[in-house]
Amino acid sequence: NVHGRRYSGLLHMQVAATRAALTQLDTRFGQLPLSIGESGWPSAGHPEATLQHAGEFVRNAIAAAQDNDLPLDPHLRTLYLFEAFDEQLKSSNGHGGSSRETENHFGIMKEDGTLKYDNIKF
Protein backbone atom coordinates (compact mmCIF):
# COMPACT_ATOMS: atom_id res chain seq x y z
CA ASN A 1 0.00 0.00 0.00
CA VAL A 2 1.21 3.49 -0.91
CA HIS A 3 -1.03 6.35 0.20
CA GLY A 4 -3.95 3.95 0.50
CA ARG A 5 -3.49 2.36 -2.93
CA ARG A 6 -2.58 -1.27 -3.50
CA TYR A 7 0.06 -2.22 -6.06
CA SER A 8 1.17 -5.66 -7.23
CA GLY A 9 4.81 -4.57 -7.56
CA LEU A 10 7.21 -2.02 -9.01
CA LEU A 11 5.93 -2.46 -12.57
CA HIS A 12 2.42 -1.63 -11.37
CA MET A 13 3.73 1.49 -9.60
CA GLN A 14 5.56 2.60 -12.76
CA VAL A 15 2.41 2.22 -14.86
CA ALA A 16 0.39 4.14 -12.24
CA ALA A 17 3.01 6.92 -12.16
CA THR A 18 2.91 7.14 -15.95
CA ARG A 19 -0.88 7.38 -15.91
CA ALA A 20 -0.75 10.07 -13.18
CA ALA A 21 1.77 12.11 -15.17
CA LEU A 22 -0.33 11.84 -18.34
CA THR A 23 -3.46 12.90 -16.48
CA GLN A 24 -1.61 15.91 -15.06
CA LEU A 25 -0.78 16.98 -18.60
CA ASP A 26 -4.39 16.65 -19.77
CA THR A 27 -7.36 14.92 -18.11
CA ARG A 28 -8.28 13.40 -21.49
CA PHE A 29 -5.09 11.32 -21.22
CA GLY A 30 -6.70 9.39 -18.34
CA GLN A 31 -8.16 6.97 -20.89
CA LEU A 32 -5.30 6.95 -23.38
CA PRO A 33 -4.38 3.34 -24.28
CA LEU A 34 -0.95 2.33 -22.95
CA SER A 35 1.60 -0.18 -24.20
CA ILE A 36 4.77 -1.24 -22.42
CA GLY A 37 7.38 -1.43 -25.15
CA GLU A 38 10.18 -3.42 -23.52
CA SER A 39 10.22 -5.11 -20.16
CA GLY A 40 12.78 -7.69 -19.13
CA TRP A 41 15.45 -8.97 -16.78
CA PRO A 42 18.71 -10.64 -17.84
CA SER A 43 19.45 -14.17 -16.67
CA ALA A 44 23.27 -13.85 -16.62
CA GLY A 45 26.11 -11.35 -16.92
CA HIS A 46 25.74 -9.63 -13.52
CA PRO A 47 25.48 -10.87 -9.90
CA GLU A 48 21.74 -9.99 -9.76
CA ALA A 49 21.12 -11.42 -13.24
CA THR A 50 20.22 -15.02 -12.46
CA LEU A 51 17.83 -17.55 -13.96
CA GLN A 52 15.80 -17.38 -10.75
CA HIS A 53 15.49 -13.57 -10.76
CA ALA A 54 14.75 -13.38 -14.49
CA GLY A 55 12.16 -16.17 -14.26
CA GLU A 56 10.45 -14.45 -11.33
CA PHE A 57 10.36 -11.18 -13.27
CA VAL A 58 8.84 -12.79 -16.38
CA ARG A 59 6.23 -14.74 -14.36
CA ASN A 60 5.31 -11.66 -12.32
CA ALA A 61 5.09 -9.37 -15.38
CA ILE A 62 2.80 -11.83 -17.18
CA ALA A 63 0.67 -12.32 -14.06
CA ALA A 64 0.39 -8.55 -13.50
CA ALA A 65 -0.62 -7.93 -17.11
CA GLN A 66 -3.34 -10.61 -16.88
CA ASP A 67 -4.63 -9.77 -13.37
CA ASN A 68 -8.29 -8.74 -13.43
CA ASP A 69 -8.55 -8.14 -9.66
CA LEU A 70 -5.71 -5.60 -9.53
CA PRO A 71 -5.01 -4.60 -13.16
CA LEU A 72 -1.89 -2.65 -14.04
CA ASP A 73 -4.11 -0.11 -15.82
CA PRO A 74 -7.62 -0.42 -17.23
CA HIS A 75 -6.37 0.91 -20.57
CA LEU A 76 -3.18 -1.19 -20.84
CA ARG A 77 -3.26 -2.84 -24.25
CA THR A 78 0.07 -4.66 -24.55
CA LEU A 79 3.17 -5.63 -22.60
CA TYR A 80 6.15 -6.67 -24.70
CA LEU A 81 8.69 -8.82 -22.91
CA PHE A 82 12.26 -8.22 -23.96
CA GLU A 83 13.13 -10.48 -25.68
CA ALA A 84 12.12 -13.82 -27.20
CA PHE A 85 15.59 -15.39 -27.56
CA ASP A 86 19.01 -14.98 -26.01
CA GLU A 87 21.60 -13.62 -28.45
CA GLN A 88 25.07 -14.78 -27.50
CA LEU A 89 26.88 -12.38 -29.87
CA LYS A 90 24.76 -9.31 -29.13
CA SER A 91 27.15 -7.56 -26.72
CA SER A 92 30.28 -8.37 -28.73
CA ASN A 93 28.70 -6.75 -31.79
CA GLY A 94 27.72 -3.64 -29.83
CA HIS A 95 23.99 -4.25 -30.27
CA GLY A 96 21.61 -3.19 -27.52
CA GLY A 97 23.46 0.01 -26.76
CA SER A 98 26.28 -1.51 -24.75
CA SER A 99 28.94 -4.17 -24.72
CA ARG A 100 27.76 -5.53 -21.37
CA GLU A 101 27.42 -9.29 -21.06
CA THR A 102 23.86 -8.91 -19.71
CA GLU A 103 22.68 -7.90 -23.22
CA ASN A 104 23.17 -11.52 -24.35
CA HIS A 105 20.78 -12.94 -21.75
CA PHE A 106 17.38 -11.18 -21.95
CA GLY A 107 15.64 -13.98 -23.86
CA ILE A 108 12.70 -15.95 -22.51
CA MET A 109 14.18 -18.81 -24.54
CA LYS A 110 17.68 -19.97 -25.30
CA GLU A 111 18.94 -19.59 -28.84
CA ASP A 112 17.86 -23.17 -29.61
CA GLY A 113 14.23 -22.28 -28.76
CA THR A 114 13.94 -24.03 -25.39
CA LEU A 115 12.26 -22.09 -22.57
CA LYS A 116 14.66 -20.94 -19.87
CA TYR A 117 12.04 -20.79 -17.10
CA ASP A 118 9.49 -23.16 -15.60
CA ASN A 119 5.81 -22.31 -15.13
CA ILE A 120 5.57 -19.63 -17.84
CA LYS A 121 2.00 -19.26 -19.11
CA PHE A 122 1.28 -16.78 -21.88
Side-chain angles (χ1 to χ4, degrees):
N1 278 336
V2 177
H3 302 292
R5 292 192 173 183
R6 245 179 72 217
Y7 298 99
S8 60
L10 182 57
L11 180 61
H12 193 180
M13 289 179 193
Q14 290 172 318
V15 171
T18 299
R19 177 62 68 198
L22 287 167
T23 304
Q24 285 293 318
L25 289 172
D26 189 318
T27 56
R28 294 175 296 170
F29 295 161
Q31 295 180 11
L32 184 73
L34 296 178
S35 291
I36 298 173
E38 288 187 0
S39 186
W41 193 278
S43 59
H46 184 275
E48 294 297 323
T50 65
L51 277 173
Q52 179 183 350
H53 290 161
E56 287 175 18
F57 178 87
V58 169
R59 280 188 291 278
N60 290 339
I62 292 170
Q66 295 174 340
D67 190 345
N68 291 322
D69 295 328
L70 190 60
L72 290 176
D73 186 271
H75 303 287
L76 180 67
R77 297 294 179 252
T78 51
L79 174 110
Y80 294 99
L81 292 170
F82 182 75
E83 63 189 324
F85 300 95
D86 280 346
E87 298 180 63
Q88 294 308 308
L89 297 177
K90 189 173 185 179
S91 66
S92 65
N93 291 329
H95 296 284
S98 78
S99 60
R100 292 178 294 176
E101 176 67 16
T102 54
E103 289 294 330
N104 299 340
H105 305 283
F106 274 92
I108 298 169
M109 295 173 265
K110 298 175 186 175
E111 285 182 313
D112 66 6
T114 58
L115 280 174
K116 293 186 341 188
Y117 318 115
D118 295 329
N119 302 320
I120 300 293
K121 296 177 184 168
F122 298 99

